[in-house]
Amino acid sequence: MKYILSIILFCSIQVSAQIKINGKVTDSNKKAVQYANIFIVGTYDGGTTDTLGNFSFMTYEVGNQLLKITAIGRESKSIPHDLSHNKPLQIQLQEQAKQLDEVVIQAGLLQAGDKVKNTVMTPLDIVTTAGSMGNIFGALATLPGAQVAGENGRLMVHGGSAAETQTYINGIRVPQPYTSSPNDVPVRGRFSPFLFKGVNFSTGGYSAEYGNALSSVLILNTANQIEPNKTEISISTVGAGLSNTQDWKTKSLTFNTSYTNLKPYSKIITPNIDWTKPYENASGELIYRQKLKTGFISTYAAFNFEDMGLYQKNSNYTHPIAIKKKAYNSYFNTDYQQNLGGRWDMQSGIGMGYLNEKLQANSMGMPHQEIAIHVKEKFTKSWNNRIKSIFGIDYFYTDFTQDFTSPSTRKEVSSASSIAALYTETTYAMNNYLIAKLGIRATSSTAEPFLLEPRFSLGYLINPYNQLSFTYGDFHQQGSQEILIYDQQIKWQQAHHYILNYYYEKKGRTLRLEAYRKTYDHLIKYDTPRINSSSIFTNTGTGYAQGMDLFFRDNRSIKNLQYWISYAYTDSKRNETDAPFSVTPSYVFKHTLSVVAKYWINALHSQVSLTNNYLSGRSYHDPNLPSYTQRKTDAYNTLSANWSYLISQQKIIHISVNNLLGSSPIYGYQYADHPNQQGIYNRIAITPSAKRFVFVGFFWTLSSNKKENQLDNL
């Protein structure tokens, strides 16, 4: 009986020692948070909030304890609490921030990828767009803010020249992204489109990770995955190609080779080029991928040989000039990515490019060589779901040599430059609706010992489908090799970007509106009509570019039809090169409009694609008239079409026609350096190298799963 009384007494003491913990959980707007869990860390004591956010539970614990509060969609919270203070708790939980990788600030950015949420194009779109002919730069020309001049095929962005855009593969710079060609004949991208699973195309305000580009960067990314065994064969009206991939579970090796010769094609469809040796190209690519336990290695090597000869008209000569051109280009890129633990990641990479181009014009020779190296080291740290930082260092080395030869003389000029850069950038999600990115890049070179470039972006998510964003940045770029061979101390040019963007994406429809202002300082000027050894260079040039872009895409309204409409308005004036005052550059189109439509015809196992491009006239200088840059070319319109027919899942016939209606645009005029006997400057119109281009190809894929095809290579 005595023991029973003792137990009853002990239990009564314990019951009387229980402590009640109660309070309320709300959000930042003081609204109740339902079904939140509150418990004492290290115990089973806890409770759950009701519909009013109130909670209450009992505990035998005493003294200072750690309370943890969790709720779905909220940031968890831990607070110290002295149980001797028996007052109701007022606890506030913040909304859980989205993963930073899921949020993209849209200002100044166009994305293409299968796994990226906010994309305006997929990789399949890039290579199946009519008129692109499988050329990445040609497809990008249908996006807002991008322009490609018909006479050279190079990418220009927001009123900037083609030299103001840099190209990167896996974060490593590509020194020579274009093929070689004679003057006023369009070039193409050097790299096969199927290599890239993601594309980030900047229209300005790009990340502090990249530099030495006044207007834009084009970032091409390969997939970090092992490719399956397959063989791909292509035969077309301009050449043939063969590709093979071997897969060993954790590693794969792909070899791709192609050969192009326009001689047979030129006999069927006569171009506006007087070939003495039609264009010939032989290229090879090697891609090695290996998956490691906590990392990935990707290595890419490419070789390209080009040979051509033609007679080219020149306004300074009575008879056409005999042009011969050979180019040898090789490029190597290796990228190593490693997870270091503790939410740290590392990327190490190196890229090396070599170009040897031999140009002969009548008896004059103008060969040049370029060796370019880029070494990159980058670290990424995810501090938590809200904050992510990158830290990196870049080193660039370029050696360029230009020869001038004639039967009696030879002159060699060269330049060598070393550039080092440090950068850091942090992205911070202040809450689920507001995200900021702050970066800075410091660059040092011989001509500019210290350049500092701040970058800032802010994105506001109105709701899951709408975003407003703003970007500002300072950007610098050194002079072209054509200038550096005469003056290696010329200062870097500068641009300031201001971009305001609205982005909407919901249920297969995308709307993108962007307004921008870009101001230029320290642009390079010279006192001769053409750059030569007697030219005097200064950094007294200024300028601006401003305008707006519109992009609308619809994949849903009509079954099997996807289309997009892209419009850009560009207003630009620059005082640069030998211009006496600020003028609209000759490479700027004030208005561009692209309409792209793709329709899948199920009964015919076919995809039909149409692209219509409208481009307004461009300014040009007529020396026969007073003043400067007084005239404009006529606007023009081109329509292109593709048809892809699937004979079977792995066999495709592809037909593509550029400039289907045979329009005859004039891109500009080439004027003689001196007037003729009548005092008139002779001129030659710059027109397309062919009225239309027709491509017919057969593509066959051999793979074990019988599902792979080359539809995304077309």
Side-chain angles (χ1 to χ4, degrees):
M1 186 67 180
K2 182 171 68 174
Y3 290 111
I4 294 174
L5 291 174
S6 297
I7 293 172
I8 292 172
L9 180 61
F10 177 76
C11 290
S12 65
I13 292 173
Q14 290 295 320
V15 169
S16 65
Q18 276 189 319
I19 296 173
K20 182 180 179 181
I21 299 176
N22 69 312
K24 187 171 185 177
V25 180
T26 60
D27 62 14
S28 56
N29 296 318
K30 298 185 178 181
K31 292 183 179 180
V33 176
Q34 304 178 45
Y35 313 119
N37 295 310
I38 303 94
F39 61 93
I40 299 175
V41 175
T43 75
Y44 294 103
D45 299 336
T48 303
T49 59
D50 58 21
T51 56
L52 299 177
N54 297 316
F55 68 91
S56 176
F57 65 91
M58 305 296 292
T59 182
Y60 292 115
E61 302 296 325
V62 295
N64 291 318
Q65 300 292 334
L66 188 65
L67 292 181
K68 187 165 185 178
I69 306 95
T70 63
I72 295 175
R74 305 281 172 178
E75 294 277 2
S76 61
K77 192 172 189 176
S78 296
I79 58 173
H81 180 56
D82 185 351
L83 299 185
S84 64
H85 297 155
N86 195 17
K87 293 182 180 180
L89 297 169
Q90 297 295 325
I91 300 170
Q92 190 178 90
L93 287 185
Q94 301 290 337
E95 264 192 296
Q96 189 175 45
K98 295 181 180 179
Q99 291 286 346
L100 288 179
D101 291 341
E102 299 176 1
V103 182
V104 175
I105 299 175
Q106 290 297 320
L109 178 66
L110 289 160
Q111 290 186 299
D114 289 325
K115 296 183 180 180
V116 183
K117 284 188 175 182
N118 300 320
T119 61
V120 295
M121 298 176 77
T122 66
L124 183 63
D125 291 328
I126 291 175
V127 288
T128 59
T129 297
S132 71
M133 290 291 178
N135 178 18
I136 292 175
F137 297 101
L140 291 176
T142 67
L143 293 181
Q147 300 177 348
V148 172
E151 72 272 22
N152 62 40
R154 297 174 185 269
L155 184 66
M156 302 176 292
V157 180
H158 276 177
S161 70
E164 294 178 24
T165 296
Q166 296 278 12
T167 302
Y168 288 79
I169 294 179
N170 293 334
I172 308 297
R173 189 176 76 93
V174 180
Q176 295 289 343
Y178 298 102
T179 59
S180 297
S181 77
N183 291 336
D184 304 326
V185 176
V187 296
R188 290 174 54 86
R190 288 189 183 276
F191 306 103
S192 302
F194 80 92
L195 289 172
F196 309 110
K197 305 301 181 184
V199 175
N200 287 340
F201 170 48
S202 158
T203 56
Y206 56 86
S207 166
E209 183 178 348
Y210 306 98
N212 202 2
L214 281 180
S215 288
S216 168
V217 291
L218 173 62
I219 306 162
L220 307 172
N221 296 312
T222 58
N224 282 358
Q225 63 185 36
I226 304 304
E227 295 291 323
N229 287 327
K230 63 182 176 182
T231 299
E232 296 177 332
I233 302 169
S234 63
I235 302 172
S236 72
T237 49
V238 295
L242 175 66
S243 175
N244 178 260
T245 298
Q246 294 296 317
D247 168 24
W248 300 284
K249 293 185 179 179
T250 60
K251 61 188 74 173
S252 66
L253 180 67
T254 299
F255 177 76
N256 175 52
T257 183
S258 64
Y259 175 74
T260 300
N261 192 327
L262 293 185
K263 185 174 183 179
Y265 177 87
S266 299
K267 290 185 176 181
I268 300 172
I269 300 179
T270 304
N272 295 333
I273 301 176
D274 187 6
W275 293 113
T276 57
K277 184 183 190 327
Y279 178 82
E280 184 179 18
N281 177 303
S283 63
E285 296 167 306
L286 193 69
I287 309 115
Y288 174 77
R289 296 182 175 99
Q290 182 174 354
K291 186 181 293 184
L292 306 174
K293 187 175 180 180
T294 57
F296 196 89
I297 296 175
S298 176
T299 299
Y300 172 74
F303 173 79
N304 191 283
F305 167 74
E306 298 166 279
D307 189 11
M308 70 199 82
L310 68 155
Y311 286 111
Q312 193 166 52
K313 293 180 180 179
N314 188 294
S315 55
N316 290 302
Y317 298 92
T318 305
H319 302 290
I321 299 173
I323 303 289
K324 292 181 180 179
K325 197 169 192 179
K326 288 185 180 181
Y328 307 84
N329 180 275
S330 58
Y331 178 72
F332 172 82
N333 176 316
T334 187
D335 174 61
Y336 171 63
Q337 299 181 30
Q338 174 74 45
N339 180 278
L340 302 176
R343 305 184 81 167
W344 281 94
D345 292 290
M346 179 189 73
Q347 180 192 5
S348 301
I350 184 170
M352 294 180 286
Y354 171 73
L355 175 67
N356 185 348
E357 194 167 87
K358 299 178 179 180
L359 175 63
Q360 188 80 19
N362 286 340
S363 60
M364 300 287 293
M366 290 169 283
H368 71 265
Q369 295 184 50
E370 183 180 52
I371 299 171
I373 298 172
H374 177 198
V375 181
K376 180 188 186 79
E377 189 72 33
K378 184 178 82 168
F379 295 91
T380 303
K381 170 65 173 179
S382 296
W383 305 99
N384 52 46
N385 283 354
R386 291 180 178 271
I387 305 176
K388 185 177 184 179
S389 301
I390 62 172
F391 310 89
I393 182 169
D394 285 323
Y395 174 74
F396 302 89
Y397 174 78
T398 304
D399 185 277
F400 183 86
T401 302
Q402 173 82 66
D403 286 341
F404 298 93
T405 63
S406 69
S408 57
T409 61
R410 183 188 177 206
K411 183 180 179 181
E412 179 183 293
V413 289
S414 64
S415 71
S417 66
S418 295
I419 302 169
L422 292 169
Y423 60 87
T424 182
E425 189 168 76
T426 295
T427 305
Y428 173 46
M430 297 177 232
N431 52 45
N432 262 15
Y433 309 101
L434 198 61
I435 183 170
K437 183 183 291 185
L438 181 63
I440 193 162
R441 184 179 181 91
T443 302
S444 178
S445 68
T446 304
E448 295 280 8
F450 184 72
L451 288 173
L452 206 59
E453 299 173 314
R455 318 272 171 90
F456 172 73
S457 299
L458 186 68
Y460 175 65
L461 299 174
I462 302 170
N463 56 44
Y465 314 110
N466 295 268
Q467 181 190 116
L468 281 174
S469 52
F470 171 78
T471 289
Y472 166 80
D474 284 356
F475 304 86
H476 293 83
Q477 184 171 352
Q478 67 179 160
S480 66
Q481 295 295 347
E482 186 183 18
I483 293 172
L484 292 179
I485 56 177
Y486 297 117
D487 187 351
Q488 295 188 45
Q489 299 302 314
I490 190 74
K491 298 297 183 182
W492 287 38
Q493 303 169 99
Q494 185 177 26
H496 309 275
H497 296 191
Y498 307 83
I499 304 173
L500 182 64
N501 177 282
Y502 168 74
Y503 185 86
Y504 168 85
E505 183 179 35
K506 185 178 181 181
K507 294 182 179 179
R509 297 182 183 91
T510 302
L511 174 64
R512 188 177 188 275
L513 300 171
E514 187 164 282
Y516 66 93
R517 167 83 177 180
K518 181 166 50 173
T519 58
Y520 291 94
D521 295 307
H522 312 307
L523 294 180
I524 297 176
K525 291 184 63 67
Y526 41 85
D527 60 346
T528 53
R530 299 178 188 273
I531 295 174
N532 56 55
S533 58
S534 64
S535 301
I536 298 175
F537 302 95
T538 65
N539 287 103
T540 57
T542 59
Y544 74 86
Q546 60 189 10
M548 60 86 63
D549 302 332
L550 178 148
F551 179 86
F552 177 72
R553 176 167 183 152
D554 186 356
N555 297 338
R556 191 178 181 91
S557 297
I558 302 174
K559 186 179 180 182
N560 295 334
L561 175 69
Q562 54 177 294
Y563 68 92
W564 66 82
I565 301 169
S566 173
Y567 168 75
Y569 166 77
T570 307
D571 170 33
S572 178
K573 279 189 172 19
R574 294 167 73 136
N575 184 356
E576 61 180 351
T577 63
D578 64 328
F581 47 81
S582 292
V583 295
T584 299
S586 60
Y587 48 79
V588 170
F589 299 91
K590 195 161 194 174
H591 304 277
T592 59
L593 174 67
S594 295
V595 180
V596 179
K598 300 180 183 184
Y599 186 71
W600 175 259
I601 306 173
N602 197 48
L604 299 178
H605 304 287
S606 299
Q607 177 181 272
V608 176
S609 174
L610 294 173
T611 298
N612 190 83
N613 289 317
Y614 167 83
L615 299 100
S616 63
R618 293 187 293 172
S619 301
Y620 69 94
H621 174 58
D622 184 346
N624 294 307
L625 297 176
S627 192
Y628 188 82
T629 312
Q630 335 80 333
R631 306 194 67 176
K632 278 192 174 183
T633 60
D634 292 333
Y636 64 91
N637 195 83
T638 59
L639 178 68
S640 300
N642 282 357
W643 176 46
S644 302
Y645 171 62
L646 275 70
I647 302 172
S648 65
Q649 182 66 28
Q650 295 188 304
K651 296 176 183 176
I652 303 172
I653 292 177
H654 181 71
I655 300 174
S656 181
V657 183
N658 275 15
N659 195 16
L660 185 65
L661 303 180
S663 63
S664 301
I666 293 177
Y667 302 133
Y669 295 92
Q670 180 201 83
Y671 283 88
D673 294 338
H674 305 284
N676 58 24
Q677 293 180 348
Q678 290 75 38
I680 303 296
Y681 289 85
N682 296 327
R683 74 178 188 181
I684 294 174
I686 302 171
T687 59
S689 55
K691 196 164 191 177
R692 59 177 61 83
F693 188 85
V694 181
F695 175 91
V696 180
F698 171 71
F699 300 84
W700 185 14
T701 302
L702 304 172
S703 63
S704 55
N705 62 17
K706 306 297 181 184
K707 295 180 181 179
E708 297 277 343
N709 62 43
Q710 297 186 64
L711 188 61
D712 61 346
N713 296 352
L714 307 182

